[in-house]
Structures are given as structure tokens and as C-alpha cells.
Amino acid sequence: LDTPAEAGFDDLVALASQCCAAPIALLTILTPDRQWFKARVGLAEREVPIGDSICALGIDAPDLFVIPDLAADPRTADMALVGRATGARFYAGAPLRDPSGAVLGSLCVLDTAPRPAGLDPQQATALRRLARQAAAQLELRRLLHERDDPVAPSGAAMAADAPDLLSITERHWRELFEKLSEGFVVGELIRDAGGRTVDWRYLDVNAAWSGLLGLPADEAIGRTVREVLPDTEQRWIDEVASVCDTGLPRTFVRSIGRLRRDYEGHAFQLDGDRFAMIFVEVTDRLHAARRLEALLTLGDRLREADSIAEMTRTAARIVGETLNAKRAGFGRIDLAAETIEMEPDWTVAGVGSIAGTHRFADYG
């Protein structure tokens, strides 16, 4: 309790915030009279009275403790964090357990809007794993404290074992890094003589990164993003650079044309020109949204059309643009004559039209 901030715990709450897309994340320690925040993102307070502790309500929960709408729940509606103008409306917390199973506190995330569906499965899994890492860090601190306690009978042995304890913690972090279902990147900016960011280098990537991009990790680590993905735009590099230049995290949606995939993620500064990025693939979700938007647009435009020719041209354009095609059109098949009559079609620049009559025989 009441110890200074530590980078290891600060990183955990930053990761929890990013993984769960939540503006507030806290690593809390519970006592009989207060809830103290060992690390926090998005909240100024360092502690609250135990009577205002949402985490305390879930102390007996065997797994995640979730309240979809804090303002609608009578247990939390009058709490200080909920009642303010920009107060918390959603809560999800994973317990921090010591080796005996006792709950010390929680790693939790809060949102300023209700979430009726709670966390998605990936977010829930990430929060559990991060909570386990936080508990391991706390246990390490306890062991190191016992080592330094002059009344501890095995102080010399504990001192000798300290490197082993740190090695265990490093293995915990590596296991977390590799088991995340989200892609995770640690990178470092590359600047020119004038200080402008011109590229960035992969320092580390996890297994999920390889799966999401379809590229082996050893083809990335130590290389730059322009070497791995040659069509990377300067705008994307500038967006990543702004995270280190401002110290502010950024959420992004990015298409990689070479892979024909879309990704959504969060980037945040580690220190100096080093940053971390966590992301998931959203290709199917974005394509579904585009198709729905296209259907709505198509319905509106067809109602406005004055002729069949205008309807087919409009429909061809919307379908072609939605599917990223080079040509789209509509035709009428005459089986008796073995021909197809193509209406005026839509094409991208440089692609010729195929409007007109075509015989089956001309195409084998």
C-alpha cells in the first residue's frame, strides 16, 4: 500500500485499457476501510473509501465480476465514481489472488457508457491473463520484501535467489505475450537527420502477429515496417510516430492492400521512441458494414432512378465499388440465341466497357 508508481504495474493497466477499449483501468488493493489504486489510467483519484468500492462487491466472485450498467444497479448507482457528470457506467474486474487463493484486489476496466453485452470473449480472456500477471508481480514484491526484512530467517538465501525470481517474472511476461490472441508489436521509430520519422523497426512480435498477418515472426524482428510491408504509407508511419511525440495513445483502423486485410488496434508509447501496438483483424466486420451500407444506398438510388438503364448503371457502380471490383454490370441471357446482352456497365479508370451483345460461341 501507498508505494510509488512502478512501470510494470503501469504497463499492465495500460494493456488492460487497450485490450478492453476502456478509458479507465485500475489495479486495486482492498483493505477493510479503503480501496487503493496501485496503478491507474483515466482516473485522478489514488483511492476511494471501501463503501465506494465497486471491486469490493465482487470479492467473492469466482471469475470476472461484471456490471453492465452501474447507474442502473442499486448496489452502485449512488457511488462517487458513478454519480459524477462523466461517471463510470460499466465495470468489469478480474480478481488478484495470492498463492493461497485469497483476493487482494482486482484488475478492472470501466467505461463511461453502459455495455449491455459486457466484454467480448477476447477481451475477457485478456483481462484474466493480465490479472494473473499482476498477481505474480505482487507476489514477487512480497518475496523481495521478505528478503530485505532483517528478521527473515533466510534473508541471504532470498538475496541469492532474487535473480531467479526476476527470471520467473520475465517468463510470465513472455508467456502472456505469446498467449495473447491479439497481435502484439513492440517497435522503435527511425528518424532522419532532421528528426522526422521515416520508418519504424520491429523489436518484437508475438505468435498472434504472425497468424493475423500470415508472415513468420523471424521475417519481421529486426527489420523495418517498409521492409516487411513495402507499400506502407508515410501517413501510417506518421500516425505511429505521433504516439511517441505526444505520449497519447491512438486507436486506428488500417487496411493492408498487399494482404487484402483490415486491422483495428491501439498504439501507445513505452518510453522515448519505443511503442507497443495491439491489434485484431476486422476484415469480415468491415466488409459486412460496407455491404449493409451499400444495400441501403442502393435502395435509395434505385427509388430515385427514372429508367431501367439508369437503375442498372447505378446498381453496377455501387456493387463494383463495394466489392473493389474493376468492372460490374448486368446482362440478359437469351438461351435460344445463345447470347448475352450487357447493359452499359461500370468500370474503374483504364478498364474498357463490355456493353453490347456477346455470343456464347465466342467464349468457348
Side-chain angles (χ1 to χ4, degrees):
L1 290 172
D2 303 315
T3 54
E6 296 179 65
F9 294 112
D10 291 342
D11 288 347
L12 284 170
V13 295
L15 276 172
S17 172
Q18 300 293 335
C19 290
C20 299
I24 302 171
L26 308 168
L27 197 156
T28 72
I29 304 295
L30 297 173
T31 76
D33 61 352
R34 62 175 172 145
Q35 174 180 264
W36 180 72
F37 307 137
K38 173 59 181 174
R40 66 200 193 283
V41 167
L43 190 70
E45 289 93 331
R46 291 302 307 267
E47 64 179 66
V48 296
I50 198 66
D52 276 331
S53 169
I54 305 170
C55 299
L57 297 174
I59 194 167
D60 293 324
D63 190 22
L64 295 185
F65 179 62
V66 179
I67 300 180
D69 189 345
L70 294 166
D73 192 307
R75 297 173 297 175
T76 55
D78 296 328
M79 288 186 175
L81 292 179
V82 181
R84 63 183 65 171
T86 57
R89 293 292 299 278
F90 167 77
Y91 171 93
L96 305 178
R97 300 184 185 276
D98 69 11
S100 71
V103 175
L104 306 175
S106 73
L107 178 64
C108 63
V109 294
L110 299 98
D111 202 344
T112 53
R115 294 193 190 183
L119 301 177
D120 66 34
Q122 289 185 332
Q123 291 171 335
T125 297
L127 190 61
R128 291 187 187 98
R129 288 174 172 169
L130 290 169
R132 288 198 294 269
Q133 299 307 312
Q137 290 269 20
L138 290 171
E139 177 63 10
L140 174 64
R141 298 303 189 276
R142 184 188 70 80
L143 293 173
L144 291 175
H145 175 73
E146 289 182 359
R147 179 202 69 183
D148 296 332
D149 188 338
V151 301
S154 57
M158 290 295 295
D161 290 342
D164 292 334
L165 294 173
L166 294 174
S167 177
I168 290 171
T169 300
E170 288 180 4
R171 288 199 301 271
H172 277 304
W173 275 105
R174 174 53 61 176
E175 289 174 4
L176 169 67
F177 187 68
E178 291 300 338
K179 289 180 180 178
L180 280 174
S181 56
E182 298 85 2
F184 200 101
V185 173
V186 177
E188 185 172 30
L189 303 181
I190 298 174
R191 300 181 185 270
D192 61 18
R196 178 173 179 265
T197 302
V198 295
D199 208 338
W200 50 266
R201 188 177 310 282
Y202 290 100
L203 300 181
D204 206 352
V205 299
N206 68 348
W209 178 93
S210 297
L212 289 169
L213 271 73
L215 299 170
D218 57 10
E219 289 188 9
I221 297 174
R223 301 177 67 197
T224 73
V225 68
R226 290 192 187 278
E227 291 172 337
V228 176
L229 301 169
D231 55 352
T232 299
E233 301 174 353
Q234 182 61 39
R235 181 178 62 177
W236 169 228
I237 292 174
D238 291 340
E239 288 180 3
V240 174
S242 71
V243 171
C244 294
D245 292 339
T246 66
L248 299 176
R250 292 194 65 155
T251 299
F252 63 87
V253 176
R254 179 64 50 188
S255 295
I256 299 182
R258 170 189 170 192
L259 303 177
R260 299 179 68 85
R261 297 181 186 178
D262 301 292
Y263 301 93
E264 179 182 58
H266 310 276
F268 53 96
Q269 184 184 34
L270 294 176
D271 57 67
D273 280 346
R274 293 195 313 134
F275 63 91
M277 186 187 308
I278 189 166
F279 66 93
V280 294
E281 184 178 353
V282 292
T283 307
D284 291 342
R285 189 189 82 193
L286 294 184
H287 284 186
R290 290 168 189 152
R291 287 193 293 269
L292 177 59
E293 183 180 359
L295 285 173
L296 296 174
T297 302
L298 180 60
D300 293 339
R301 297 296 178 265
L302 292 182
R303 283 192 294 271
E304 299 167 358
D306 297 325
S307 66
I308 292 178
E310 183 180 353
M311 291 174 66
T312 58
R313 282 195 299 270
T314 299
R317 177 181 59 78
I318 293 173
V319 170
E321 291 175 346
T322 301
L323 299 179
N324 292 318
K326 294 183 178 179
R327 175 191 292 116
F330 292 84
R332 293 190 299 276
I333 295 175
D334 186 333
L335 292 176
E338 294 188 341
T339 62
I340 180 170
E341 181 72 25
M342 291 297 301
E343 298 285 344
D345 52 0
W346 169 89
T347 66
V348 297
V351 174
S353 171
I354 59 171
T357 302
H358 302 269
R359 299 187 309 150
F360 291 177
D362 294 336
Y363 297 91

